[in-house]
Structure formats: structure tokens, C-alpha cells
Amino acid sequence: MKTADPELMRAINRFTVLDTIRRHGPISRVEISERSQLSTTTVSAITASLLDDGLILTRHEGDLRNAAARGRPRVMLELNPDAARVVGAKIAAHQMVFVVTNFCGEVISHLSLPIRVNRQPVGVISDLIEDGVRRCVVDAGLSLEDIDSVCIGFPGVVEHRTGLVRSSPILSEPDVNFAREMTERLSVATIVESDSHAITLAHHWFGKGRDLDDMVLVSLEHTLGLGVLHGGQLFRGAGGLSHNLGDLMMGAGLSEMVRLTALAGEPAILGEQSQQGRFAEAVRLGRGMAHAQTLVAAEDNVLTVAATRAGEAIGIAVANIVTLFGPPRVVIVGSTLLLGGVFLETLADSYRQAIPSSIREIAELVFDGSPDEMWAQGAAVVALCELYESPWGTTGPAPAPQH
């Protein structure tokens, strides 16, 4: 990255000021300067531009009517919630969830569609998502003309920069340019992102990572995902590639290689018995893990062994991630947490045994059963970050602001 490029520096500083207002507003210009380490002159110029663009608002603290009051009222700055409207969506094997949010990321409308969509053609998925987006927008009292951007969160391997879904259990075809497909259908700029990246940003804005600029999130759903936040920004691979944690190698023998998904993916845990009777019906409705928890509690030996094996594998994987990145917090989310005590306790024990003693106290493990609405809200945050004009949003962490 050419940090000497003046246009790039202006974009970086603008994003830094806007994000500081989002995180700490209402906030004064002096406080923005202190938190961002930008000069007061730079902050004044940027906030004037943001006010002209309608992205922020002023608020006066103090009594303007009382002339006897000492000192001038403080001028505080905050985001303008009406500056933009975006749609976020989480697409899962058994459900589609949509939200419309304002520029602050606050949910205006919410729609959940319990639809089974496993390995379907692009046209089928596109039809369902288009209908969901349009309905959620109407429920918000808006039209598509009022929407600035749409972001769709997919499980699997997603290339954020190109809009390519390389592989997903939702789609029957690989390498689908789904961003282009939906942009043409909706006539609204559409982004695709991995669902694990979306929930990572949701936790950074609203949840367990709100107080942090560095964290790791592990999502345990039908696919196993990873989100790495560094310097307040998502770290993505080449082309904005998402991280498919399920492909992590856990061992290799003479005849086969063992990946994490074969030990801790949902199909591996639920096993063959999930294809029969009441269990099969629960899986069809997206309640497979909840039903599995009931069976584990009833001492079903096969599922208990599977849950224990999965917990051990995830614990080792998390220890490896902490060894690589050294984050202060690892947030673990997803439907697999519904397995309950056997899985969670085994995971924690496995992590403690695998983590090097020298960094044992570095990372805090946090388990969170985030609702699907929050995943969709995270997708909306991805769209908002694009509107924030983050110059590094698709490539990795930001450099320090330039004075």
C-alpha cells in the first residue's frame, strides 16, 4: 500500500474520523482528535465535509437559552441515522434472515423465512433472496429506490472483492458471481460476504467484541468459519477471500488426510442416525443440533462420542489460532453450541491442554448463542463499511492515521 498517496491518506483519515464518531459519539472534535491522533485542523476539515455530505449531525450540550450560563455549549457530533439504508441477509441451509438497518446499524425491519435450501441452482436461490429482500424493504416502509446497498452473507468460501461464491452448501454450482447476479436483479449495489465475517463485524459493532480492535471469531454451523479482526478491520485473504476453518488439516495418514470438518462439522457430528425418523425431521427444520442435545442428555452413546470428538478437535483448532494470532478474545458462535455441556466442556479442556503454557493467559474464550438476526445485522454492517468508504476494507487492516 502506498502510504504516501495523498488521496489514500485523505480517505484513511476520513474513515478514521467517521468510525471514531460511530464508536464514541456523541463526541466533540477535540475528543475525536485525541482518540484518532489526528490534528485538530485535520479533524475540523473532515467533520465539515462529513456534515456537508449529511453523514453526521451536530448536537449542542448546554443551554443555548440561558445567557447567564458559564461557557459556550459544546458542539457534539454523531452519525446521522437517516444518511443511508441498507439490507443485510444471512443465508443458511434451513433459513433465510433479512434485516433493513439505518446508517447506525440499527434494525428497522426483520424478516425470517424458514426455507430449506441445500445445494440449489443459482436461479432458485436468487429468486428466494430477491423476494426476501423486497419483502423486508416493504416491511420497513421503504422501496428499493431508498436502499443504498445490499449485503448477502453465505456459508462457505466467498471472495468479497469480486463477489464470487467459490463454494457453499447453499449452491449446487461452484464459482458463482452472486454479487453481479443480485445487483442486476435488484438494481441496487450488492455485496457478498462470508457469514462468519458478517457475524465478526456484528460482534465488533454491537456484541462481545465492541470494546476490542483485535479479536478472533469461530463460527460453528453447517460450515466452520473464521473471522479475524485486526486494528478494527477484518483481515481477508487474496481477493478478499474468507477463511474456511473446516478445511484446516488436523492430521494425515498413509491413506487419508483428516480435515476439521470431518471431525467437527455438523454432518460429522449428527451422523447417519440423523437421516432417520424424528431426528431427520428435526434436521430438515434446522433443529438438528437441538435434537442432538436432547439425545446426548439422554446418554445416547454414539452422539456423546461424536460431540466429545468434535469438542476436542475444535479446542485444538482454537489453540492453534490463538498461537498464530494471539488475540485477547476468541468469540465462539453457532448452532453447534446447542450440543451443550459435553461439547463445551470438552472443547475448553482440549484448548487448555493444547495451548502453549507461555500464552495460556493471553486469550479469553467467550461462547455466544447469537440470534440469526445478529448475523444478518452483521451483513448490513459490511454494507455500511463500504458506504463509509474504507480504503482498505477489502484487503486487510488499516495503517495508522496520517497527521
Side-chain angles (χ1 to χ4, degrees):
M1 179 178 290
K2 297 180 180 179
T3 55
D5 185 340
E7 288 298 324
L8 178 60
M9 289 304 97
R10 279 193 285 271
I12 290 172
N13 291 342
R14 178 182 168 95
F15 180 89
T16 299
V17 170
L18 192 57
D19 197 51
T20 301
I21 295 171
R22 176 192 71 80
R23 298 179 67 179
H24 304 288
I27 184 172
S28 69
R29 290 175 176 85
V30 171
E31 291 170 315
I32 294 171
S33 178
E34 292 172 350
R35 289 184 178 276
S36 66
Q37 299 182 349
L38 293 169
S39 70
T40 54
T41 302
T42 298
V43 169
S44 294
I46 292 172
T47 54
S49 173
L50 294 173
L51 285 166
D52 288 343
D53 292 341
L55 299 182
I56 62 174
L57 302 171
T58 58
R59 175 192 293 185
H60 292 84
E61 284 192 356
D63 193 348
L64 290 170
R65 299 165 297 177
N66 185 359
R70 297 182 60 185
R72 297 175 60 184
R74 298 178 72 203
V75 178
M76 311 296 282
L77 303 172
E78 59 188 0
L79 292 187
N80 177 7
D82 297 326
R85 299 282 188 269
V86 300
V87 178
K90 181 199 177 185
I91 311 303
H94 304 283
Q95 185 173 231
M96 294 186 179
V97 181
F98 304 86
V99 296
V100 175
T101 79
N102 62 21
F103 195 56
C104 299
E106 299 163 338
V107 174
I108 302 171
S109 67
H110 164 257
L111 174 65
S112 179
L113 300 176
I115 301 174
R116 187 163 60 95
V117 284
N118 186 27
R119 300 291 179 191
Q120 295 295 318
V122 174
V124 172
I125 301 300
S126 300
D127 284 343
L128 292 170
I129 292 176
E130 180 182 356
D131 289 348
V133 169
R134 291 182 182 277
R135 179 174 163 185
C136 196
V137 168
V138 169
D139 289 347
L142 303 169
S143 71
L144 279 178
E145 294 178 353
D146 302 311
I147 300 300
D148 296 275
S149 184
V150 175
C151 180
I152 302 167
F154 274 96
V157 180
V158 175
E159 218 173 65
H160 173 86
R161 187 183 299 171
T162 63
L164 197 69
V165 180
R166 286 178 172 250
S167 66
S168 173
I170 304 301
L171 299 171
S172 57
E173 303 100 321
D175 298 325
V176 176
N177 193 325
F178 208 81
R180 182 175 62 195
E181 172 77 17
M182 295 311 301
T183 297
E184 292 174 353
R185 281 173 170 260
L186 299 171
S187 297
V188 177
T190 302
I191 305 162
V192 295
E193 183 59 277
S194 76
D195 56 0
S196 56
H197 278 177
I199 190 63
T200 300
L201 280 184
H203 272 285
H204 179 49
W205 275 45
F206 312 109
K208 303 297 184 180
R210 191 170 186 177
D211 58 326
L212 299 172
D213 282 331
D214 298 280
M215 61 171 277
V216 163
L217 180 138
V218 174
S219 64
L220 309 175
E221 297 239 310
H222 189 76
T223 59
L224 308 178
L226 175 68
V228 178
L229 193 77
H230 178 56
Q233 303 296 316
L234 279 174
F235 178 83
R236 298 183 174 98
L241 198 66
S242 62
H243 315 285
N244 186 11
L245 190 60
D247 285 340
L248 187 70
M249 287 293 300
M250 299 297 291
L254 295 176
S255 60
E256 64 176 346
M257 296 183 293
V258 180
R259 300 190 184 274
L260 183 60
T261 190
L263 302 172
E266 184 175 308
I269 296 171
L270 298 184
E272 294 183 0
Q273 62 178 314
S274 65
Q275 302 172 20
Q276 303 171 1
R278 182 181 174 188
F279 205 161
E281 291 301 317
V283 170
R284 286 174 62 89
L285 296 173
R287 300 173 184 171
M289 283 300 179
H291 187 68
Q293 180 192 27
T294 301
L295 295 178
V296 169
E299 300 182 350
D300 182 295
N301 186 59
V302 173
L303 273 172
T304 299
V305 169
T308 301
R309 179 187 61 201
E312 289 175 347
I314 295 295
I316 293 170
V318 171
N320 286 335
I321 292 166
V322 172
T323 302
L324 285 173
F325 296 106
R329 188 171 301 158
V330 178
V331 180
I332 303 175
V333 302
S335 57
T336 302
L337 300 185
L338 292 174
L339 284 172
V342 169
F343 173 76
L344 298 177
E345 291 166 12
T346 303
L347 190 162
D349 288 342
S350 176
Y351 170 80
R352 283 191 292 268
Q353 292 176 30
I355 194 75
S357 59
S358 58
I359 58 170
R360 185 162 293 157
E361 306 303 323
I362 288 291
E364 172 192 16
L365 298 191
V366 176
F367 299 95
D368 183 80
S370 302
D372 287 324
E373 179 180 331
M374 189 171 179
W375 294 65
Q377 195 176 10
V381 169
V382 174
L384 290 172
C385 286
E386 296 291 319
L387 296 177
Y388 275 29
E389 300 178 357
S390 169
W392 58 84
T394 59
T395 59
Q402 302 296 306
H403 301 273

